[in-house]
Amino acid sequence: EVADLGISGYHALDWLRAEHGIGLGLSDHRRVEALITHGDDDATVQRLLDALADLAMRSEEVERAPRVEIPSPEHLAPHTVMLPRDAFFGRTESVPADEAPGRIAAELATPYPPGVPVLVPGDLITKEAVEYLRSGVAAGMQLPDPADPSLDTIKVVARD
């Protein structure tokens, strides 16, 4: 867990690529993940271990990690108030993210990794979910599915 070094997995991933030419598959606000496959050998594994040791020794050079607001699980539990199909295909509008809590999501927002949706069409949007997603994006989180990946705006079901 690179968070113990005061850095995010996003920044560690960038640093490892820039400083050692090592690309890792996944990272999040706390961790990096390396996959070792049948194509690797003792030399490639040692190269990874050396790069990780160098990261630990030189972590002060890596950009500090912004805080990601991680809500308690009950604040991320979905509360479906409309059929997902109706929310996704119905009339929608984009609203500023700070106006989205209390509205019905009309799009997915799935942080990757881990690839588990936080917003699903038809779910009631919570303030905690928006804070988590926006702070995650500020820290380097990837959101592949929203119309606005910066999450300045969120697509919601239009009010009649």
Side-chain angles (χ1 to χ4, degrees):
E1 187 166 296
V2 296
D4 295 339
L5 301 173
I7 60 178
S8 72
Y10 310 119
H11 293 124
L13 185 81
D14 292 342
W15 189 90
L16 288 166
R17 186 177 299 117
E19 294 293 319
H20 289 276
I22 291 178
L24 299 177
L26 299 174
S27 66
D28 66 13
H29 61 284
R30 296 183 311 228
R31 302 170 277 272
V32 295
E33 178 181 87
L35 297 176
I36 297 173
T37 72
H38 64 280
D40 289 294
D41 57 22
D42 290 345
T44 60
V45 171
Q46 190 60 53
R47 187 169 161 242
L48 172 63
L49 293 174
D50 291 344
L52 291 171
D54 191 34
L55 172 65
M57 290 184 345
R58 296 172 53 196
S59 65
E60 292 300 319
E61 298 173 18
V62 181
E63 185 177 344
R64 297 295 94 188
R67 180 171 165 73
V68 177
E69 299 296 329
I70 303 173
S72 58
E74 68 268 9
H75 287 113
L76 289 177
H79 181 70
T80 304
V81 295
M82 178 183 250
L83 288 173
R85 182 181 145 293
D86 293 343
F88 186 82
F89 290 114
R91 250 178 15 93
T92 65
E93 61 183 334
S94 291
V95 299
D98 60 349
E99 295 177 19
R103 301 288 301 269
I104 301 169
E107 65 181 346
L108 282 168
T110 308
Y112 185 79
V116 177
V118 172
L119 298 181
V120 175
D123 285 353
L124 191 61
I125 299 171
T126 65
K127 175 182 159 224
E128 292 82 5
V130 172
E131 288 173 351
Y132 166 58
L133 292 169
R134 297 214 58 221
S135 65
V137 167
M141 174 191 290
Q142 299 296 309
L143 290 177
D145 21 41
D148 177 4
S150 69
L151 220 64
D152 289 333
T153 62
I154 298 174
K155 193 188 286 190
V156 299
V157 172
R159 291 184 172 148
D160 290 330

